[in-house]
Amino acid sequence: MHAAPSPSRASIDQALRERSQVVIPGGMWGHQRAAAVPAGFPQFFMSGNGATVRDVDGRDYIDFMCSWGPIILGHRHPGVEEAVRRQLELGECFDGPTENAVVLAETLVGMIPHASWALFQKNGSDAMTSCVTIARAFTGRRKVLVAKDAYHGAVPWCSPSLVGVTSEDRAHIIHFTFNDTRSLEAAAAQAGDDLAAVIVSGFKHDIGRTQELPEPEFAKAARALCDQAGAALIVDDVRAGFRLDLGGSWELTGVRPDLSAYSKAIANGHALSAVAGNDRFREAAARIFVTGSFWYGGAAMAASIATLNELKRLEAPRFLKRAGTRFANGLREQAQRHGFQLNISGPPAMPVMLFEDDPDAAIGEIFCLEALKRGVYLHHRHNMFLSLAHTDEVIDRALDGTEGAFAALAGRR
Ligand code: PMP
């Protein structure tokens, strides 16, 4: 781990922030926009290796964000990177897909019990939009039920921001409360005979909130409601996919969706997403037109095949649960010892860490800044992500850092 840089050294991060303000609107876009990255958090990164990322100023951090989800085997996993290199030597972008498209679809169909086919895109937003389009093509209907505050992407039908979005873009979206069967039924009643789909996340992973796994009763009710209406049950597994269950996060509820969307961890950091579906929706999936210039590229698919095979071999969900439990237990014990009430919720592989009586996460932010100084990259509001590079030794080293961060936080009281 690198020592903190001397104060006299100019920060490359700061210089890049100033330059980006000139040529990138707002300094950066989306969830990385400059205003959303707290002061003291690095904005620009240089490299990654295993469980560690290095910022542009050369400081290393044990990474508990894993690139906001994509890194599941660790940064620059040798087997995945070798598969990518082999494909790049042959070329990346041809007049059509490579063999990898078929091998990857076969791999997913073999892994995901509800799936008998798969289609590929680049981002989670593409995959979710494809799911909605397939559901509408299949049903010939318009209304889509979406859980309040759930994130499904950065396109007009689901963006968390209404800036530049028209009411027509949202005209057929009806909200319900996750895990609340009555509210789901009320939303379905509002849709009447125009119900195309119900969308649920792998679990309720809203930012800044206590996380909730899907209740089996709610999951069953959602399935029954879709069956009765002839609508599609869509699981957005973009964020949680492959971390909780290799067959899809709702396998844990015993309920299977018609369509599911994956991205993030699917190719260990390479740009890829997928829609997986059952036979009922095959014909509609063949009929819709969704595509992109780069959706057939072979390298990310090669990365995905290598990633998924490694996840199976290593029984990833079991490993991640164990690693996340070790980390959460350590944090809880430290918090208690230093007199803080820490609420860690969500599955251990994707924990959210919130301090009690900290509605705007100001205490959490200071804690994360203290952890950064000690070489640990955490998040104070968003769910974090464990990877297979988070061995016991790495977790314990991270806990050494957080111990210092709690002591520093306690010292400020
Ligand atoms: N669905 C969920 C649950 C997500 O977490 C995200 C990304 N954070 C998306 C969809 C959209 O994915 P992308 O950013 O790759 O478009």
Side-chain angles (χ1 to χ4, degrees):
M1 202 128 319
H2 289 229
S6 73
S8 61
R9 195 173 130 210
S11 159
I12 297 170
D13 191 271
Q14 189 54 38
L16 286 172
R17 283 178 193 240
E18 286 163 20
R19 284 166 57 193
S20 70
Q21 282 294 343
V22 179
V23 289
I24 296 175
M28 197 50 61
W29 56 87
H31 67 291
Q32 291 296 316
R33 68 194 183 283
V37 178
F41 272 67
Q43 174 135 53
F44 293 91
F45 291 85
M46 179 161 56
S47 64
N49 186 26
T52 304
V53 279
R54 178 170 296 177
D55 71 16
V56 277
D57 285 302
R59 280 176 292 212
D60 287 346
Y61 309 95
I62 299 175
D63 180 16
F64 285 93
M65 282 309 281
C66 289
S67 313
W68 297 68
I71 300 300
I72 189 167
L73 291 169
H75 292 275
R76 274 196 302 133
H77 181 272
V80 174
E81 295 313 302
E82 176 56 26
V84 170
R85 251 192 318 274
R86 274 203 306 271
Q87 182 58 53
L88 289 180
E89 274 164 18
L90 299 170
E92 158 66 345
C93 197
F94 303 118
D95 298 339
T98 63
E99 179 183 352
N100 295 341
V102 180
V103 176
L104 180 55
E106 287 168 348
T107 305
L108 284 172
V109 166
M111 257 174 100
I112 302 171
H114 83 83
S116 55
W117 53 263
L119 297 175
F120 302 107
Q121 312 81 28
K122 279 291 164 192
N123 285 286
S125 304
D126 306 333
M128 283 307 298
T129 302
S130 298
C131 285
V132 169
T133 309
I134 294 167
R136 285 178 170 154
F138 175 79
T139 57
R141 304 181 199 150
R142 297 175 296 177
K143 304 291 180 196
V144 176
L145 312 190
V146 176
K148 244 188 280 179
D149 299 324
Y151 187 77
H152 296 297
V155 283
W157 71 267
C158 60
S159 166
S161 164
L162 290 176
V163 179
V165 171
T166 68
S167 52
E168 287 83 357
D169 289 321
R170 303 295 252 262
H172 300 298
I173 302 297
I174 302 173
H175 287 107
F176 64 91
T177 303
F178 192 88
N179 269 342
D180 180 340
T181 302
R182 268 212 215 144
S183 85
L184 178 65
E185 286 167 353
Q190 207 182 318
D193 58 8
D194 202 11
L195 180 64
V198 173
I199 298 179
V200 285
S201 306
F203 67 97
K204 185 174 162 65
H205 39 46
D206 304 352
I207 191 162
R209 306 264 182 80
T210 298
Q211 312 285 283
E212 288 176 38
L213 292 174
E215 302 282 353
E217 286 317 305
F218 171 75
K220 279 196 202 104
R223 181 68 271 175
L225 190 149
C226 287
D227 289 343
Q228 235 164 25
L233 179 61
I234 301 171
V235 169
D236 177 351
D237 232 349
V238 167
R239 194 181 308 179
F242 310 113
R243 275 192 163 83
L244 310 190
D245 190 304
L246 294 181
S249 300
W250 271 44
E251 281 297 293
L252 303 169
T253 69
V255 166
R256 291 188 176 150
D258 299 298
L259 302 169
S260 54
Y262 295 89
S263 189
K264 293 207 185 265
I266 195 169
N268 202 50
H270 294 274
L272 191 76
S273 60
V275 173
N278 61 22
D279 270 326
R280 218 155 54 95
F281 288 80
R282 181 189 291 270
E283 183 272 335
R287 216 157 24 92
I288 61 159
F289 187 77
V290 286
T291 191
S293 298
F294 300 108
W295 287 15
Y296 305 94
M301 292 186 193
S304 183
I305 295 162
T307 300
L308 297 176
N309 287 335
E310 195 66 353
L311 293 177
K312 265 189 285 189
R313 189 179 73 79
L314 298 170
E315 297 182 57
R318 212 157 60 117
F319 179 99
L320 297 173
K321 187 174 185 180
R322 201 179 147 271
T325 302
R326 187 179 184 93
F327 189 49
N329 286 346
L331 286 174
R332 284 195 187 99
E333 185 277 321
Q334 291 174 344
Q336 198 180 19
R337 196 156 29 73
H338 288 282
F340 295 100
Q341 295 236 0
L342 192 65
N343 166 16
I344 300 179
S345 64
M350 299 171 65
V352 164
M353 173 189 75
L354 301 170
F355 284 79
E356 292 288 317
D357 302 322
D358 187 27
D360 54 2
I363 300 171
E365 187 178 319
I366 296 170
F367 175 71
C368 289
L369 286 168
E370 293 295 343
L372 279 175
K373 289 184 202 163
R374 293 162 178 82
V376 185
Y377 192 102
L378 304 170
H379 203 282
H380 50 296
R381 295 181 68 231
H382 197 278
N383 71 268
M384 297 181 279
F385 297 88
L386 275 289
S387 80
L388 279 95
H390 289 99
T391 57
D392 287 357
E393 181 272 323
V394 168
I395 299 276
D396 292 349
R397 210 151 30 86
L399 288 170
D400 286 345
T402 55
E403 170 66 26
F406 276 117
L409 194 63
R412 295 169 73 115
R413 274 198 294 226

